């Protein structure tokens, strides 16, 4: 931004912060945000001149690095690890990166700059900023606060799940590595439900969530998850209790540590058999997908989520900046760090899933080779159908595919009765996994095959905790800052009360049926509201209100 721009005045200027966004364009006399009828102390229609100096006693970041890490920690969250790779796979692989990058440049960066600029210039939270632009627009800030509240309630439950898995990871073997054994006197058998699915799936739904069969059956509180949620809210409360004085210090670790883990996982993943297959599958573009409107819509929604647009956290963080800070540079920097993180996480995820897909295909080949041997021994199949170079004791995917093709061609009429599977690597890689299914089932299953699997499990779930904590700090700041700007209440007391209230509301999600409510809130509580909030933010900047 030019140095002579009013939005980037010099730090030592004596000019008071008296201009709203509308005033910057029309040079009209400013209106104090308290004049909004939404503010308890304001009188509708009354003109109040804002004479707030630059050094108005508002808390400030200790350094530019601390501020950048806070914005990165808020924008880079769990969605980068388990939502972006899924969308990339679902919407054409490498082709999805094209609409995502275009929308990031055309929509994401400008909107991110808008929120940074208004927060930094007006030095208020979301409610104060939009009241200041126009008293009739204060509802935009209230909407942002409500979205933060809804998202924070279920988002911290996911952190609670990660905390539970983190502590469970200090065991060898990992508790989800094998199906539990059911004993009846001298007889021992594998748990039937676990044998039908997998050890990780059984541990997730039965031993962790102990989920009920329907949402109508609450099943009572899950004590393990309730304690994990309590720990999660205590962590969040301690991180934000003193505002940016405490959260800024936490961000030094919570924002940087996930990158250390992601790079470690990337190196480890690339050394695994089949990792290249996963990455190649991921970035093989399906260009026809780019013509589908749904791909562009999902890319736009992911841009909103990835940058934290509409939540109010970006505005709240930037309101503690110096008034001459170059927020244009910040918008570009944070946006591209976010995009780079999504690409890095996608590489890690599909390197590991490629390894898992190879393991599953090898297991499939072994099981079906045993079936074929049985058919050969019982003369259901002729030995002439088996190529001479095929070795049943060490059969590769290529050999099995060749043998499978020959048998299918010769036994075309009765092939289905043989019950043979094709064991295709492509089929395993095409199994779309997102959200909790990726983190707590697919990824955990792959890590059970790693050497020193408890170490990698501890690192992975500690990374998830830090990613979630960084986003929760921004979400809580988006709630507390607007209220503290409007009502003079004690910061520490208000923060503690918010966390206690949120914990009790969050008990809805730690019932045995809580997973259904988490899914419901994740699908409906933020997507459409955020889109509306961001649209109204743009309209408010285009509309010039007639301020008396």
């Amino acid at each position: 931004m030019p140095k002579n721009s009013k939005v980037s005045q010099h730090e030592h200027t004596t000019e008071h912060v008296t201009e709203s966004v509308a005033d910057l364009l029309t040079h009209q006399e400013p209106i104090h945000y308290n004049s909004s009828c939404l503010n308890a102390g304001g009188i509708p229609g009354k003109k109040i001149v804002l004479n707030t100096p630059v050094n108005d006693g508002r808390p400030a970041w200790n350094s530019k690095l601390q501020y950048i890490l806070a914005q990165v920690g808020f924008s880079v969250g769990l969605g980068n690890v388990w939502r972006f790779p899924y969308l990339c796979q679902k919407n054409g692989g490498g082709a999805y990166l094209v609409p995502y990058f275009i929308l990031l440049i055309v929509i994401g960066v400008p909107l991110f700059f808008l929120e940074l600029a208004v927060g930094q210039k007006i030095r208020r939270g979301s409610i104060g900023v939009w009241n200041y632009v126009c008293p009739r627009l204060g509802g935009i800030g209230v909407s942002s606060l409500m979205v933060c509240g809804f998202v924070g309630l279920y988002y911290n439950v996911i952190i609670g799940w990660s905390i539970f898995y983190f502590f469970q990871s200090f065991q060898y073997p990992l508790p989800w590595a094998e199906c539990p054994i059911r004993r009846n006197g001298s007889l021992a058998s594998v748990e039937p439900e676990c044998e039908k699915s997998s050890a990780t799936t059984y541990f997730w739904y039965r031993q962790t969530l102990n989920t009920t069969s329907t949402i109508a059956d609450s099943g009572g509180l899950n004590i393990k998850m309730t304690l994990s949620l309590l720990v999660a809210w205590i962590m969040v409360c301690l991180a934000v209790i003193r505002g940016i004085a405490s959260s800024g210090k936490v961000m030094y670790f919570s924002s940087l540590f996930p990158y250390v883990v992601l790079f470690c996982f990337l190196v480890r993943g690339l050394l695994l058999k089949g990792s290249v297959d996963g990455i190649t599958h991921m970035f093989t573009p399906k260009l026809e997908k780019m013509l589908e409107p749904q791909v562009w819509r999902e890319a736009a929604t992911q841009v909103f989520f990835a940058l934290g647009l509409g939540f109010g956290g970006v505005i709240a963080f930037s309101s503690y900046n110096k008034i001459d800070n170059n927020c244009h540079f910040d918008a570009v920097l944070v946006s591209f760090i976010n995009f780079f993180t999504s690409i890095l996480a996608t590489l890690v995820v599909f390197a590991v899933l490629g390894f898992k897909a190879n393991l599953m295909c090898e297991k499939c080949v072994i099981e079906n080779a045993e079936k074929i041997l049985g058919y050969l021994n019982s003369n259901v199949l002729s030995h002439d159908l088996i190529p001479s170079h095929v070795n049943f004791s060490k059969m590769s995917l290529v050999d099995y595919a060749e043998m499978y093709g020959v048998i299918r061609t010769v036994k075309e009429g009765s092939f289905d009765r043989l019950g043979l599977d094709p064991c295709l690597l492509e089929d395993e890689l095409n199994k779309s996994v997102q959200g909790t299914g990726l983190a707590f089932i697919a990824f955990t299953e792959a890590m059970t095959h790693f050497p020193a699997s408890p170490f990698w499990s501890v690192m992975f779930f500690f990374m998830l905790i830090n990613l979630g904590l960084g986003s929760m700090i921004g979400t809580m700041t988006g709630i507390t800052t607007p209220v503290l700007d409007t009502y003079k209440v004690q910061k520490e007391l208000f923060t503690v009360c918010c966390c206690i209230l949120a914990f009790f509301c969050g008990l809805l999600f730690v019932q045995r049926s809580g997973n259904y409510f988490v899914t419901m809130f994740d699908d409906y509580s933020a997507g459409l509201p955020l889109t509306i909030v961001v649209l109204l933010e743009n309209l408010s900047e285009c509309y010039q209100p007639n301020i008396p």
Side-chain angles (χ1 to χ4, degrees), residues 242-530:
R242 296 181 57 207
I244 63 171
S246 57
S247 62
K249 294 180 175 62
V250 174
M251 286 295 187
Y252 280 115
F253 184 79
S254 65
S255 296
L256 294 176
F257 179 75
Y259 290 96
V260 176
V261 177
L262 284 174
F263 275 111
C264 290
F265 263 99
L266 180 61
V267 173
R268 184 69 190 92
L270 292 175
L271 297 176
L272 296 171
K273 179 183 177 181
S275 60
V276 177
D277 294 328
I279 294 174
T280 302
H281 172 79
M282 182 68 258
F283 289 101
T284 301
K286 302 176 182 65
L287 299 178
E288 65 277 4
K289 284 280 188 178
M290 292 178 58
L291 302 177
E292 298 178 10
Q294 181 183 353
V295 174
W296 291 81
R297 181 182 62 80
E298 291 189 347
T301 303
Q302 179 62 18
V303 167
F304 292 161
F305 272 101
L307 295 178
L309 300 174
F311 283 95
V314 173
I315 293 176
F317 278 152
S318 64
S319 71
Y320 299 111
N321 255 336
K322 295 178 181 179
I323 199 170
D324 67 337
N325 175 64
N326 186 353
C327 53
H328 200 167
F329 171 79
D330 298 343
V332 175
L333 177 64
V334 174
S335 299
F336 279 92
I337 289 176
N338 189 291
F339 180 67
F340 164 77
T341 307
S342 297
I343 299 297
L344 176 62
T346 301
L347 287 172
V348 171
V349 167
F350 277 90
V352 174
L353 292 184
F355 164 68
K356 177 178 176 287
N358 270 267
L359 287 178
M360 298 304 295
C361 284
E362 289 176 359
K363 181 180 178 181
C364 176
V365 167
I366 292 172
E367 292 175 351
N368 284 272
E370 291 177 352
K371 288 183 182 179
I372 294 175
L373 275 175
Y375 293 142
L376 291 173
N377 294 332
S378 59
N379 294 322
V380 175
L381 293 177
S382 170
H383 286 79
D384 296 334
L385 297 179
I386 309 302
S388 58
H389 64 274
V390 170
N391 182 1
F392 276 88
S393 62
K394 192 176 181 181
M395 186 178 296
S396 66
L397 284 173
V398 175
D399 289 343
Y400 176 78
E402 181 181 353
M403 184 172 59
Y404 178 88
V406 171
I407 295 173
R408 182 166 188 168
T409 302
V410 174
K411 295 287 185 178
E412 183 177 0
S414 59
F415 179 79
D416 291 340
R417 291 198 295 271
L418 297 176
L420 298 178
D421 299 314
C423 300
L424 297 176
L425 184 64
E426 189 76 11
D427 291 344
E428 287 294 330
L429 290 171
N430 278 330
K431 292 180 180 178
S432 299
V433 183
Q434 68 162 323
T436 55
L438 173 63
F440 298 103
I441 298 177
F443 219 84
T444 51
E445 183 176 353
M447 285 189 294
T448 59
H449 300 283
F450 285 15
S453 55
F455 168 77
W456 293 104
S457 184
V458 167
M459 292 281 283
F460 177 71
F461 288 108
F462 194 41
M463 177 191 72
L464 291 188
I465 292 170
N466 280 276
L467 284 172
L469 184 60
S471 297
M472 274 302 299
I473 289 173
T475 301
M476 287 299 296
T477 304
I479 295 172
T480 58
T481 297
V483 176
L484 293 174
D485 286 343
T486 307
Y487 304 100
K488 302 304 177 183
V489 295
Q490 187 179 351
K491 181 191 305 179
E492 292 80 3
L493 179 61
F494 178 70
T495 302
V496 171
C497 290
C498 281
C499 292
I500 292 175
L501 178 62
F503 167 73
F504 282 107
C505 292
L507 294 179
L508 172 70
F509 304 100
V510 291
Q511 302 175 100
R512 290 180 55 200
S513 61
N515 187 45
Y516 300 112
F517 289 100
V518 170
T519 303
M520 183 171 63
F521 269 66
D522 188 33
D523 289 340
Y524 300 109
S525 68
L528 181 60
L530 278 182

Side-chain angles (χ1 to χ4, degrees), residues 67 76 98 105 127 153 161 177 192 311 339 396 411-412 448 453 535:
Y67 164 68
V76 175
V98 176
I105 299 298
I127 296 178
L153 286 178
W161 294 342
F311 283 95
F339 180 67
S396 66
K411 295 287 185 178
E412 183 177 0
T448 59
S453 55
L535 178 62

Side-chain angles (χ1 to χ4, degrees), residues 178-192 202:
E178 298 177 353
C179 288
I181 303 298
R182 177 183 289 181
R183 298 190 180 276
N184 184 10
S186 60
L187 298 177
S189 60
V190 177
E191 177 67 42
Y202 180 83

Side-chain angles (χ1 to χ4, degrees), residues 534-546:
V534 171
L535 178 62
L536 291 175
E537 286 181 357
N538 277 275
L539 292 176
S540 69
E541 292 304 307
C542 298
Y543 171 62
Q544 296 301 311
N546 184 20

